[in-house]
Structures are given as C-alpha cells and as structure tokens.
Amino acid sequence: GAGVSQSPRYKVAKRGQDVALRCDPISGHVSLFWYQQALGQGPEFLTYFQNEAQLDKSGLPSDRFFAERPEGSVSTLKIQRTQQEDSAVYLCASSTRLAGIAGELFFGEGSRLTVL
Amino acid sequence: DAKTTQPNSMESNEEEPVHLPCNHSTISGTDYIHWYRQLPSQGPEYVIHGLTSNVNNRMASLAIAEDRKSSTLILHRATLRDAAVYYCILTVINAGKSTFGDGTTLTVKP
C-alpha cells in the first residue's frame, strides 16, 4: 500500500511483558515520528528519526521505551516490562519533512496496546 | 514549546460553514501553523498549514491573524464526514516535532 503501515493493530499484553510495535513508513520518507495517544486525549510526541538518526527522544516517558530505525526505513518501538499506564494507541507518522521544513505528516492507523 | 488553545467542542449544521478557532499567543516567528483532523479509530489526517498568509486548499481555508497569535480553520460547507477532532498545532521548525493539544470535537448535525 501507499500509506504508513503499522502492526500489530491490536496488542494485549500482561503487565511485565515486553512488546514491539512496527512501523513501515511511506517509501522515501526521510522523517519518522512516534506518538502516544491515551483515550480521549491528543497525540503526545515520543520520538523522531531523520533517516536512521534519532534526533529527538525527549518524549519517551521512561527508559522502558526504546525506538530504533536501523536502516532508515522500518522503525520499531519497544516497550519493556509493560505497565497498565502504557495502555494507549501508538501512532507512527512519516514525512518528507526535514528540520527547517514544515511538511505534512502522514499517520498510520495506530497500534492499540492494552496492558492487563 | 509554544502551546495552542482550542474550544473543547463545537457544533455545526450540515452544509453550513464552520469556523474553528485556535489561539497561539506564544508562537515564535518561524513556527508553522498546522491543522489535522482525526476520525474515530484512525490516525490524524493533514488538513492544511500556513506561516503568515491565508491558505486555501480543496479541504479547507486557513485564516491567520496579522499578529499570528490566532488562526481559524474554515470548512466552507460542513458534511457529516467532517465530524472529527480537529487539532491546531505549531511545528517547531528546528526540532521537527509537532505538539498536539486536545483539539476541538466537531459535531455536524444533519
């Protein structure tokens, strides 16, 4: 498909389990963003990649959250030892945007994580 | 990061224009104003963006105040499909990220 693809769409984890969420951005998009969206709230920025470089990880809530984009394309958001407060929709967006240029973000449909 | 303020909710009648306001009094000179909307169970969708001048595209118009401390998203004829949460956000140019608030929930009545 031509859009941003995220998998899995739904994930249920027991508290303490590790999870990995995958994002396939639009081909050729340099920038990739991860956002966390709690129920009824707006998306909260987590981290930003330009190619394989993670330029901003200021939004990651704790050291249990880790994101990578090793080849500058597919990205994985990993959450270790999940807690109930991690339950949210995790949104990935890609863009041709480089720092200094304001391009539109293309979002995937998100991965809904429920931690029991 | 500069913040935006939007009303929590607005209502409109179908086929009437809708003006969605946004205040951003702490905007800096190089911040772009972006609007996105989000339908239930979907990711946000880009609507429009601008810097200083008013902008038009097939979806909407963006009116930016002369002092840039506020802006208005204009949907010229609301349809039921326009019912969504609308986010006004400022893009931090040199950081790349965009900071969302809680948005305005638009209800369109038939």
Side-chain angles (χ1 to χ4, degrees):
Chain A
V4 176
S5 178
Q6 292 188 245
S7 61
R9 286 293 315 281
Y10 303 92
K11 175 69 178 178
V12 178
K14 292 183 179 178
R15 188 162 57 94
Q17 282 185 330
D18 297 347
V19 300
L21 307 176
R22 176 187 169 104
C23 174
D24 280 272
I26 294 173
S27 178
H29 277 194
V30 171
S31 297
L32 186 145
F33 302 79
W34 284 98
Y35 283 82
Q36 178 190 58
Q37 187 171 26
L39 189 64
Q41 297 183 17
E44 295 271 353
F45 170 82
L46 293 177
T47 188
Y48 158 59
F49 290 86
Q50 186 172 310
N51 296 307
E52 68 278 4
Q54 190 174 17
L55 297 188
D56 187 347
K57 53 182 181 179
S58 61
L60 296 176
S62 76
D63 58 7
R64 296 186 296 104
F65 285 72
F66 172 76
E68 60 183 6
R69 194 186 185 199
E71 297 179 358
S73 179
V74 171
S75 178
T76 303
L77 176 67
K78 298 179 179 178
I79 309 173
Q80 297 176 324
R81 304 180 304 281
T82 52
Q83 304 293 316
Q84 284 189 323
E85 61 262 30
D86 299 335
S87 296
V89 175
Y90 290 86
L91 295 164
C92 176
S94 71
S95 174
T96 55
R97 175 191 298 180
L98 298 174
I101 300 173
E104 68 179 275
L105 299 179
F106 294 84
F107 282 86
E109 292 188 306
S111 292
R112 181 180 295 277
L113 172 64
T114 303
V115 181
L116 303 177
Chain B
D1 294 341
K3 301 294 185 187
T4 62
T5 304
Q6 300 177 253
N8 288 335
S9 62
M10 291 186 64
E11 284 190 352
S12 172
N13 293 318
E14 196 175 11
E15 298 188 2
E16 290 186 354
V18 182
H19 291 232
L20 297 166
C22 180
N23 287 319
H24 29 79
S25 58
T26 60
I27 190 171
S28 69
T30 54
D31 286 344
Y32 279 78
I33 303 159
H34 279 76
W35 284 81
Y36 286 79
R37 71 180 186 182
Q38 187 173 25
L39 281 69
S41 300
Q42 295 188 23
E45 172 191 32
Y46 169 83
V47 178
I48 200 166
H49 78 278
L51 183 61
T52 56
S53 303
N54 295 343
V55 184
N56 299 296
N57 66 20
R58 64 174 181 82
M59 290 182 69
S61 295
L62 176 60
I64 301 173
E66 195 169 335
D67 63 5
R68 298 207 333 124
K69 294 185 176 183
S70 65
S71 61
T72 302
L73 178 70
I74 302 165
L75 306 179
H76 297 287
R77 289 181 70 236
T79 70
L80 297 178
R81 293 178 57 191
D82 291 323
V85 179
Y86 285 79
Y87 296 100
C88 165
I89 62 178
L90 302 180
T91 300
V92 182
I93 289 295
N94 291 327
K97 71 180 181 183
S98 300
T99 301
F100 288 72
D102 289 336
T104 297
T105 300
L106 174 66
T107 302
V108 180
K109 297 182 289 184

